[in-house]
Amino acid sequence: MKTPVLAPLLLGLVAAAIACSSAAKSRLPPQFDMDHDLLEVTIPQLHRYYAKHKYTVTQVVQWYLTRIDRYNGIYRAIETVTRSEALAVAAREDAEPASAAAMRGPLWGVPIVIKANTSMVGQVTTDGWAGYAIPGHELIAPRDATIVAKFRTAGAILIGHTNMPDFANSDTNRSTSFGRTGNAFDVRFSPGGSSGGTVTAVTANMAVLGNGTDTGNSIRMPAATSAVIGIFPTRGLVSIAGIAPLDWMLDNTGPIARTVTDAAIALSVMTGEDPLDPRTLDSTASPQPGPYTRYLKPGLLKGKRFGVPSFILSGAGIPFHGIPAAVPEDVAAKQSADQAIPLRPETLAAFMKAVEELRAAGATVVFDDSILPDSFAKIASRVSTYSYVREGTERFLNTFGPAQYRGVAEYEKAVGAPLAAPIVGEEPSNSQIGDVTIAQIDIERDPDAEANYHGPRGRTLAAYLEPLDRFHLDGYVYPAIQMPPPDETMPQNGGLSDGPHSATGWVNMIGVPAVVVVGGYYRGGMPFGLEFSARPWKDGDLLGYAYSWEQATHHRRPPTLVEKGLLPNAP
């Protein structure tokens, strides 16, 4: 059979087209290549680029700074851009001899952001509050927070402080020191709080990763609004020293990243004992030590069993800071009912879709009315911490405050104005429950500490563990928040939006590990977040489940950013 005459001609045309395409590609400007390579880049990918000498650290840092310059004016994620410091560190890393490559830390050359309540030496720790940024009286950190020092040692490039609500005391992201942060998927919507600045910066590719802090949901809830990974480690695995407290008995810190692998790398850097945080002592004896990437394997969901907390589906309330023992049962019940958060139908639908995906990945999901029922929420509501709020602020200022004020009284003397009520324990809504006044006292001197905190916390942890044993569960799974991210251009509950809300503050009360993964998307395009929690110190197992979910679903997709106004086809 003769070969058609046109065949050689067609082959020649195809070859010419490929050659022209390759030539055109080689002539594309470097910015195009960097945009292609660095958008959604992971730590392992970035390190491969460095190893091949495709980019310098300075070029990568400059790419992120340019992106911040372009988009931060709209999304307002980063309050302070540490441009000169970041470029200086990048230049030093670029100048290291090739022989030093084997000694580089796990975050070498990785641009990251730090939440504005986390001390960076020489920078103002605004904590989102204008009162810490008063000219002449700024809270300029005399030293790094413990995790910041660890990030620097690991080679990370700190490119800015992210915006947050005043004192981390909100479920949305408005601050008196910088203003409002918008959701990167649609700037009109809330990114959640209080780590909304970090999640917007990370999901918008203004940084590779960042830290968040979590007192009642503040890593996990904003992570759920923005298609990123948020880790709440077992309390004591990571030091909170150098982080301006909201309620130091509940506070925690952990990484926020676009992938579970990046989050696991960051968590491995953050962990360790710290004499400034006694709860971390003996944490190195954890049954599942880092590096946490060792626990990341696909297919780990197969054969695993997860229970669904009944009280989250019913919307039972657990008041923030808890209720002291002196408050009568009827008053406590009303307080809990007033703070109950119903699960929205569209969130339940998104959760049930995720449950089917879990089952498709080989997991068993158990629904039973006795798995963390409403009675669990009642027990947890008695873990009372508000009496100790001022102590946490005093401890922080004593070590991480500026020279002119190392305590609450010194601040008031230096500035001529009081510290704000939420961080000294004087909020009327929390300091008075019925006829009971909650006075401030150091927990070490509180004769009621056993009745108000230690005893209820122990009982809550026991109630948390009991269904895990009875149903042979590997953990729990549930919606990270009770509703979709709200449109903040519209009233919420008849007033200014105060953000989405969660029913997950009990995690803080007992300090068990939890992780939020990208669970899917609502019909309008906003992300839905799925949360897993597990036994204390089983952080490695938990990250393994998160990684297996991520690899089975691949839900993560980056938002489309705009330089001005709204997305043209936004829902």
Side-chain angles (χ1 to χ4, degrees):
M1 181 176 179
K2 293 183 178 180
T3 303
V5 175
L6 288 177
L9 178 59
L10 289 173
L11 289 173
L13 290 173
V14 169
I18 292 173
C20 289
S21 175
S22 298
K25 184 176 180 180
S26 67
R27 290 195 299 268
L28 289 172
Q31 185 64 45
F32 178 91
D33 291 338
M34 293 194 77
D35 289 347
H36 176 270
D37 290 340
L38 298 185
L39 191 72
E40 296 288 283
V41 74
T42 65
I43 295 171
Q45 289 169 338
L46 185 57
H47 283 164
R48 285 195 290 272
Y49 291 140
Y50 289 145
K52 294 177 181 178
H53 304 289
K54 188 170 186 180
Y55 302 116
T56 66
V57 179
T58 299
Q59 288 171 330
V60 169
V61 169
Q62 190 60 65
W63 184 87
Y64 281 99
L65 292 173
T66 299
R67 194 166 172 86
I68 291 168
D69 291 341
R70 184 175 182 182
Y71 295 115
N72 199 47
I74 293 294
Y75 297 96
R76 307 281 291 174
I78 302 177
E79 178 175 15
T80 304
V81 180
T82 53
R83 186 183 310 271
S84 59
E85 295 88 345
L87 289 171
V89 174
R92 287 200 299 270
E93 292 191 349
D94 283 331
E96 292 175 2
S99 59
M103 303 297 293
R104 291 172 180 171
L107 293 178
W108 190 89
V110 178
I112 72 171
V113 287
I114 301 296
K115 191 172 175 179
N117 60 354
T118 306
S119 302
M120 293 169 58
V121 64
Q123 300 295 327
V124 179
T125 311
T126 67
D127 201 18
W129 184 46
Y132 279 150
I134 297 171
H137 300 295
E138 297 95 335
L139 200 170
I140 299 174
R143 58 191 295 184
D144 282 333
T146 299
I147 62 164
V148 170
K150 287 177 176 287
F151 282 141
R152 292 192 201 273
T153 299
I157 311 291
L158 280 55
I159 60 175
H161 253 152
T162 56
N163 190 35
M164 56 176 283
D166 296 38
F167 320 112
N169 195 29
S170 175
D171 283 347
T172 191
N173 222 80
R174 299 186 190 91
S175 71
T176 57
S177 65
F178 191 63
R180 174 186 178 270
T181 299
N183 191 302
F185 282 83
D186 188 319
V187 72
R188 298 174 300 179
F189 286 74
S190 173
S194 63
S195 302
T198 297
V199 300
T200 293
V202 171
T203 200
N205 284 270
M206 296 183 195
V208 176
L209 59 89
N211 85 298
T213 64
D214 193 316
T215 310
N217 55 35
S218 287
I219 288 172
R220 296 161 291 134
M221 184 258 281
T225 73
S226 300
V228 290
I229 310 300
I231 298 178
F232 181 101
T234 299
R235 180 65 185 96
L237 190 65
V238 177
S239 173
I240 63 169
I243 297 173
L246 175 56
D247 183 333
W248 71 295
M249 304 300 293
L250 304 175
D251 292 340
N252 202 359
T253 186
I256 292 169
R258 292 186 294 271
T259 69
V260 176
T261 298
D262 284 0
I265 293 170
L267 181 63
S268 301
V269 168
M270 298 170 76
T271 61
E273 296 183 1
D274 179 11
L276 293 177
D277 183 352
R279 289 180 72 170
T280 65
L281 301 182
D282 299 324
S283 65
T284 52
S286 163
Q288 293 189 322
Y292 290 96
T293 49
R294 73 174 73 176
Y295 305 98
L296 308 186
K297 300 175 183 177
L300 289 178
L301 289 173
K302 188 174 182 179
K304 297 300 185 291
R305 293 171 56 83
F306 299 97
V308 178
S310 296
F311 84 94
I312 289 181
L313 300 185
S314 68
I318 302 176
F320 187 41
H321 302 293
I323 303 170
V327 175
E329 281 295 332
D330 59 332
V331 178
K334 183 180 185 305
Q335 184 86 348
S336 296
D338 289 345
Q339 296 192 27
I341 306 167
L343 184 66
R344 296 278 183 86
E346 57 270 47
T347 301
L348 177 59
F351 174 63
M352 295 308 296
K353 185 176 180 181
V355 166
E356 291 308 309
E357 291 181 287
L358 268 173
R359 288 171 172 160
T364 297
V365 181
V366 182
F367 289 82
D368 190 285
D369 289 344
S370 68
I371 296 177
L372 302 189
D374 288 2
S375 59
F376 171 81
K378 183 177 179 180
I379 295 169
S381 70
R382 289 295 187 166
V383 182
S384 179
T385 59
Y386 197 68
S387 294
Y388 318 120
V389 164
R390 183 180 176 118
E391 179 183 4
T393 298
E394 294 279 17
R395 284 170 173 253
F396 169 74
L397 289 176
N398 182 60
T399 306
F400 292 91
Q404 60 178 299
Y405 51 87
R406 291 296 177 90
V408 174
E410 287 187 8
Y411 176 91
E412 295 176 354
K413 181 178 180 180
V415 178
L419 271 177
I423 56 172
V424 294
E426 295 177 359
E427 290 174 290
S429 60
N430 286 308
S431 60
Q432 188 75 33
I433 302 178
D435 294 330
V436 176
T437 300
I438 302 176
Q440 292 300 298
I441 187 172
D442 291 357
I443 190 170
E444 298 82 2
R445 298 188 297 105
D446 184 10
D448 298 319
E450 177 62 30
N452 287 335
Y453 177 73
H454 296 298
R457 184 180 185 274
R459 289 188 289 274
T460 303
L461 180 58
Y464 173 86
L465 296 173
E466 188 275 333
L468 295 176
D469 295 330
R470 178 160 48 94
F471 287 92
H472 306 288
L473 302 174
D474 296 285
Y476 296 104
V477 65
Y478 42 92
I481 48 180
Q482 301 290 90
M483 60 195 68
D487 180 347
E488 297 195 313
T489 67
M490 304 293 290
Q492 184 181 348
N493 299 323
L496 183 68
S497 166
D498 54 2
H501 305 292
S502 82
T504 63
W506 50 277
V507 170
N508 304 71
M509 290 171 161
I510 55 178
V512 296
V515 60
V516 166
V517 295
V518 188
Y521 297 85
Y522 291 101
R523 181 175 298 179
M526 299 302 290
F528 163 74
L530 186 69
E531 184 165 336
F532 294 90
S533 61
R535 295 175 184 271
W537 307 108
K538 293 294 185 180
D539 301 77
D541 287 346
L542 191 63
L543 290 181
Y545 307 149
Y547 179 79
S548 183
W549 166 268
E550 177 185 68
Q551 297 306 302
T553 60
H554 297 285
H555 281 314
R556 163 71 189 175
R557 64 172 183 254
T560 301
L561 303 188
V562 293
E563 295 177 45
K564 294 182 179 179
L566 305 176
L567 295 173
N569 299 313

